[in-house]
Coordinates of all heavy atoms in Angstrom, one line a residue:
E280 N 78.2 89.1 126.9 CA 78.5 88.8 125.5 C 79.2 90.0 124.9 O 78.7 91.1 124.8 CB 77.2 88.5 124.8 CG 77.4 88.0 123.4 CD 78.0 86.5 123.3 OE1 77.8 85.8 124.3 OE2 78.7 86.2 122.4
P281 N 80.5 89.8 124.4 CA 81.1 90.9 123.7 C 80.5 91.4 122.5 O 79.9 90.6 121.7 CB 82.5 90.4 123.5 CG 82.4 88.9 123.5 CD 81.3 88.6 124.3
R282 N 80.5 92.7 122.2 CA 80.0 93.3 121.0 C 80.9 92.8 119.8 O 80.4 92.6 118.7 CB 80.0 94.8 121.1 CG 79.7 95.5 119.8 CD 79.9 97.0 120.0 NE 78.8 97.6 120.7 CZ 77.8 98.3 120.2 NH1 77.8 98.5 118.9 NH2 76.8 98.8 120.9
A283 N 82.2 92.8 120.1 CA 83.2 92.4 119.0 C 84.4 91.9 119.7 O 84.7 92.2 120.9 CB 83.5 93.5 118.1
S284 N 85.2 91.0 119.0 CA 86.4 90.5 119.6 C 87.5 90.6 118.5 O 87.2 90.4 117.3 CB 86.3 89.1 120.2 OG 86.0 88.2 119.2
G285 N 88.7 90.8 118.9 CA 89.8 90.9 118.0 C 91.0 90.1 118.6 O 90.9 89.5 119.6
S286 N 92.1 90.2 117.9 CA 93.3 89.5 118.3 C 93.9 90.0 119.6 O 94.5 89.3 120.3 CB 94.3 89.5 117.2 OG 94.7 90.8 116.8
I287 N 93.7 91.3 119.8 CA 94.3 91.9 121.0 C 93.3 92.0 122.2 O 93.7 91.9 123.3 CB 94.9 93.3 120.7 CG1 95.9 93.3 119.5 CG2 95.4 94.0 121.9 CD1 97.1 92.5 119.9
G288 N 92.1 92.2 121.9 CA 91.1 92.4 122.9 C 89.7 92.3 122.4 O 89.4 91.8 121.3
Q289 N 88.7 92.7 123.2 CA 87.3 92.7 122.8 C 86.6 93.8 123.5 O 87.1 94.5 124.4 CB 86.7 91.4 123.1 CG 86.6 91.0 124.6 CD 86.2 89.5 124.8 OE1 86.6 88.7 123.9 NE2 85.5 89.2 125.8
V290 N 85.4 94.2 123.0 CA 84.6 95.2 123.6 C 83.3 94.7 124.1 O 82.7 93.8 123.5 CB 84.4 96.4 122.6 CG1 85.7 97.1 122.2 CG2 83.7 95.9 121.3
H291 N 82.9 95.3 125.2 CA 81.6 95.0 125.8 C 80.8 96.2 126.0 O 81.3 97.3 126.3 CB 81.8 94.4 127.2 CG 82.5 93.1 127.2 ND1 81.8 91.9 127.3 CD2 83.8 92.7 127.1 CE1 82.6 90.9 127.3 NE2 83.9 91.3 127.1
D292 N 79.5 96.1 125.8 CA 78.5 97.2 126.1 C 78.4 97.3 127.6 O 78.3 96.2 128.2 CB 77.2 97.0 125.4 CG 77.3 97.1 123.9 OD1 78.0 97.9 123.4 OD2 76.6 96.2 123.2
A293 N 78.2 98.5 128.1 CA 78.0 98.7 129.5 C 77.3 100.0 129.8 O 77.2 100.8 128.8 CB 79.3 98.6 130.3
T294 N 76.8 100.2 131.0 CA 76.3 101.5 131.4 C 77.0 101.8 132.7 O 77.3 101.0 133.5 CB 74.8 101.5 131.6 OG1 74.5 100.5 132.6 CG2 74.0 101.3 130.3
L295 N 77.4 103.1 132.8 CA 78.0 103.6 134.1 C 76.9 103.7 135.1 O 75.7 103.6 134.8 CB 78.6 105.0 133.8 CG 79.8 105.0 132.9 CD1 80.3 106.4 132.6 CD2 81.0 104.1 133.4
R296 N 77.3 103.8 136.3 CA 76.3 103.9 137.4 C 75.3 105.0 137.2 O 74.2 105.0 137.7 CB 77.0 104.1 138.8 CG 78.0 103.0 139.2 CD 77.4 101.6 139.5 NE 76.5 101.7 140.6 CZ 75.5 100.8 140.9 NH1 75.4 99.7 140.1 NH2 74.7 100.9 141.9
D297 N 75.7 106.1 136.5 CA 74.8 107.2 136.3 C 73.9 107.0 135.1 O 73.2 108.0 134.7 CB 75.6 108.6 136.2 CG 76.5 108.6 135.0 OD1 76.5 107.7 134.1 OD2 77.3 109.6 134.9
G298 N 74.0 105.9 134.4 CA 73.1 105.6 133.3 C 73.7 105.8 131.9 O 73.1 105.4 130.9
R299 N 74.9 106.5 131.8 CA 75.5 106.7 130.5 C 75.9 105.4 129.9 O 76.6 104.6 130.5 CB 76.7 107.7 130.6 CG 76.3 109.1 131.0 CD 77.5 110.0 131.1 NE 78.2 109.6 132.3 CZ 79.4 110.1 132.6 NH1 80.0 111.0 131.8 NH2 80.0 109.8 133.8
E300 N 75.6 105.2 128.6 CA 76.0 104.0 127.9 C 77.5 104.2 127.4 O 77.9 105.2 127.0 CB 75.1 103.8 126.6 CG 73.7 103.5 127.0 CD 72.8 103.4 125.8 OE1 73.3 103.6 124.6 OE2 71.7 103.0 126.0
V301 N 78.2 103.1 127.6 CA 79.7 103.1 127.3 C 80.0 101.8 126.6 O 79.3 100.8 126.7 CB 80.6 103.4 128.5 CG1 80.4 104.7 129.1 CG2 80.4 102.3 129.5
I302 N 81.2 101.8 126.0 CA 81.8 100.6 125.4 C 83.1 100.4 126.2 O 83.9 101.3 126.5 CB 82.2 100.8 123.9 CG1 81.0 101.1 123.1 CG2 83.0 99.6 123.4 CD1 80.0 100.0 122.9
V303 N 83.3 99.2 126.7 CA 84.5 98.9 127.5 C 85.4 98.0 126.7 O 85.0 96.9 126.3 CB 84.1 98.1 128.8 CG1 85.3 97.8 129.6 CG2 83.1 99.0 129.6
K304 N 86.6 98.4 126.4 CA 87.5 97.7 125.6 C 88.5 97.0 126.6 O 89.1 97.7 127.5 CB 88.3 98.6 124.7 CG 89.1 97.9 123.7 CD 89.6 98.8 122.6 CE 90.4 98.0 121.6 NZ 90.9 98.9 120.5
V305 N 88.7 95.7 126.4 CA 89.4 94.9 127.4 C 90.5 94.1 126.6 O 90.1 93.4 125.7 CB 88.5 93.9 128.2 CG1 89.3 93.2 129.3 CG2 87.3 94.7 128.8
Q306 N 91.7 94.1 127.1 CA 92.7 93.3 126.4 C 92.6 91.8 126.8 O 92.1 91.5 127.9 CB 94.1 93.8 126.8 CG 94.6 95.0 126.1 CD 96.0 95.4 126.4 OE1 96.7 94.8 127.2 NE2 96.5 96.5 125.7
R307 N 93.0 91.0 125.9 CA 93.1 89.6 126.2 C 94.0 89.3 127.4 O 95.1 89.9 127.5 CB 93.6 88.8 125.0 CG 92.6 88.7 123.9 CD 93.1 87.8 122.7 NE 92.0 87.8 121.8 CZ 91.0 86.9 121.9 NH1 90.9 86.1 122.9 NH2 90.0 86.9 120.9
P308 N 93.6 88.4 128.3 CA 94.5 88.1 129.4 C 95.9 87.5 128.9 O 95.9 86.7 128.0 CB 93.7 87.0 130.1 CG 92.3 87.1 129.7 CD 92.4 87.7 128.3
G309 N 96.9 88.1 129.5 CA 98.3 87.6 129.2 C 98.8 88.0 127.8 O 99.8 87.5 127.4
I310 N 98.1 88.9 127.1 CA 98.5 89.3 125.8 C 99.9 89.8 125.7 O 100.6 89.6 124.7 CB 97.5 90.2 125.1 CG1 97.7 90.4 123.6 CG2 97.5 91.6 125.8 CD1 97.5 89.2 122.8
E311 N 100.3 90.6 126.7 CA 101.7 91.2 126.7 C 102.8 90.1 126.6 O 103.7 90.2 125.7 CB 101.9 92.1 127.9 CG 100.9 93.2 128.1 CD 99.7 92.8 128.9 OE1 99.5 91.6 129.2 OE2 99.0 93.8 129.3
A312 N 102.7 89.1 127.4 CA 103.7 88.1 127.4 C 103.6 87.3 126.1 O 104.7 86.9 125.5 CB 103.5 87.1 128.6
V313 N 102.4 87.0 125.6 CA 102.3 86.3 124.3 C 102.9 87.0 123.2 O 103.7 86.5 122.4 CB 100.8 86.0 124.0 CG1 100.6 85.5 122.6 CG2 100.2 85.1 125.1
V314 N 102.6 88.3 123.1 CA 103.2 89.1 122.0 C 104.7 89.2 122.1 O 105.4 89.1 121.1 CB 102.6 90.6 122.0 CG1 103.3 91.5 121.1 CG2 101.1 90.5 121.6
R315 N 105.2 89.4 123.3 CA 106.7 89.4 123.5 C 107.3 88.1 123.0 O 108.3 88.2 122.3 CB 107.0 89.6 125.0 CG 108.3 90.2 125.3 CD 108.5 90.7 126.8 NE 107.7 90.0 127.8 CZ 106.6 90.6 128.4 NH1 106.2 91.8 128.0 NH2 105.9 89.9 129.3
G316 N 106.8 87.0 123.4 CA 107.3 85.7 123.0 C 107.2 85.5 121.5 O 108.1 85.1 120.8
D317 N 106.1 85.9 120.9 CA 105.9 85.8 119.5 C 106.9 86.7 118.7 O 107.4 86.3 117.6 CB 104.4 86.2 119.1 CG 103.4 85.2 119.5 OD1 103.8 84.0 119.9 OD2 102.2 85.5 119.5
M318 N 107.1 87.9 119.2 CA 108.0 88.8 118.6 C 109.4 88.3 118.6 O 110.2 88.4 117.6 CB 108.0 90.2 119.2 CG 106.8 91.0 118.8 SD 106.7 91.3 117.0 CE 105.1 92.0 116.9
D319 N 109.8 87.6 119.7 CA 111.1 86.9 119.7 C 111.2 85.9 118.6 O 112.2 85.8 117.9 CB 111.3 86.3 121.1 CG 111.6 87.3 122.2 OD1 111.8 88.5 121.9 OD2 111.5 86.9 123.4
L320 N 110.2 85.1 118.5 CA 110.2 84.0 117.4 C 110.2 84.7 116.0 O 111.0 84.3 115.2 CB 109.0 83.2 117.6 CG 108.7 82.1 116.5 CD1 109.9 81.2 116.4 CD2 107.4 81.4 116.7
L321 N 109.4 85.7 115.8 CA 109.4 86.4 114.5 C 110.8 87.0 114.2 O 111.2 87.1 113.1 CB 108.3 87.4 114.4 CG 106.9 86.8 114.3 CD1 105.8 87.8 114.5 CD2 106.7 86.0 113.0
G322 N 111.4 87.5 115.3 CA 112.7 88.1 115.1 C 113.8 87.1 114.7 O 114.6 87.4 113.8
W323 N 113.7 85.9 115.3 CA 114.6 84.8 114.9 C 114.3 84.5 113.4 O 115.3 84.3 112.6 CB 114.3 83.6 115.8 CG 115.2 82.5 115.5 CD1 116.5 82.2 116.0 CD2 114.9 81.3 114.7 NE1 116.9 81.0 115.5 CE2 116.0 80.5 114.8 CE3 113.8 80.9 114.0 CZ2 116.0 79.3 114.1 CZ3 113.8 79.8 113.3 CH2 114.9 78.9 113.3
L324 N 113.0 84.4 113.0 CA 112.7 84.0 111.6 C 113.2 85.1 110.7 O 113.7 84.8 109.6 CB 111.2 83.8 111.5 CG 110.6 82.6 112.1 CD1 109.1 82.6 112.1 CD2 111.2 81.3 111.5
A325 N 113.0 86.4 111.0 CA 113.5 87.5 110.2 C 115.0 87.5 110.0 O 115.4 87.7 108.9 CB 113.0 88.8 110.8
E326 N 115.7 87.2 111.0 CA 117.2 87.0 110.9 C 117.5 86.0 109.9 O 118.4 86.2 109.1 CB 117.8 86.7 112.3 CG 117.8 87.8 113.3 CD 118.9 88.8 113.0 OE1 119.9 88.4 112.3 OE2 118.8 89.9 113.4
R327 N 116.9 84.8 110.0 CA 117.1 83.7 109.0 C 116.7 84.1 107.6 O 117.4 83.8 106.7 CB 116.4 82.5 109.4 CG 116.7 81.9 110.8 CD 118.2 81.7 111.0 NE 118.6 81.3 112.3 CZ 118.8 82.2 113.4 NH1 118.6 83.4 113.2 NH2 119.3 81.8 114.5

């Protein structure tokens, strides 16, 4: 269960093998392609 989620990714609580508590930040799957396509669309709209 993620601690928090956002538009780009989310964070999970975890512990390393040595017992140290950490937060793992993970990007949404496929986010790079989504953002690239969205920016193309927004570029077209900005031009107009």
Side-chain angles (χ1 to χ4, degrees):
E280 186 71 28
R282 172 185 285 255
S284 64
S286 57
I287 303 298
Q289 62 193 33
V290 294
H291 292 263
D292 293 320
T294 57
L295 296 175
R296 300 289 302 160
D297 65 9
R299 289 180 288 172
E300 294 179 353
V301 294
I302 299 292
V303 180
K304 189 168 182 180
V305 186
Q306 282 186 357
R307 288 187 175 277
I310 190 68
E311 300 91 348
V313 169
V314 169
R315 202 170 26 256
D317 290 347
M318 286 298 172
D319 288 345
L320 174 60
L321 288 170
W323 182 85
L324 291 171
E326 286 283 335
R327 301 307 171 276

